[in-house]
Amino acid sequence: MDTDELRRFVLDRLDEDEKRLAQEKLPLLDEAESRGRLRVARSDDGTGLLLLPGPVQAPADLVPFPEKVGLLREEVERTDDGATLRLLAGAFETHHDWQEEWR
């Protein structure tokens, strides 16, 4: 698996999601959360975010997209963790550039 290609895919989709939000459309990342594919939650100490796989009980306060997108982008840019990149990429698996090997 090419993590650089996967990283670029996720960063491009986050950019597209920001544009969707600006057009008052639901970002695909938020849609994936609502379908239970993943969950972005605040850390216990409130200083960061946690990326959790699969359906997780929804926290009382969902992290707003503008707050989480910047932190996720920073993490994607610096991580070499394929599992993290694949988890985020899975939120965008309906995109035509999605590759099955990322599952």
Side-chain angles (χ1 to χ4, degrees):
M1 178 184 66
D2 181 353
T3 55
D4 289 333
E5 183 179 11
L6 183 54
R7 180 180 294 105
R8 182 78 262 147
F9 174 81
V10 172
L11 290 171
D12 288 348
R13 301 300 73 80
L14 290 174
D15 289 345
E16 288 175 2
D17 263 5
E18 284 185 303
K19 291 175 186 169
R20 288 179 62 82
L21 184 66
Q23 297 168 352
E24 299 183 5
K25 295 179 183 175
L26 182 65
L28 295 178
L29 183 63
D30 286 354
E31 185 178 308
E33 279 192 89
S34 70
R35 290 190 326 244
R37 297 200 44 87
L38 57 86
R39 173 71 60 208
V40 179
R42 286 188 177 82
S43 61
D44 288 340
D45 64 6
T47 62
L49 299 178
L50 301 173
L51 181 62
L52 306 167
V56 177
Q57 183 176 346
D61 60 330
L62 294 174
V63 179
F65 183 80
E67 181 180 338
K68 66 185 161 193
V69 72
L71 293 171
L72 289 173
R73 183 176 283 111
E74 288 175 19
E75 180 65 21
V76 168
E77 288 173 346
R78 70 173 184 243
T79 190
D80 287 322
D81 181 25
T84 296
L85 294 172
R86 284 192 308 275
L87 180 59
L88 277 169
F92 308 105
E93 71 180 8
T94 58
H95 191 275
H96 65 274
D97 286 339
W98 164 261
Q99 296 180 27
E100 190 61 33
E101 70 184 64
W102 295 339
R103 189 170 304 281

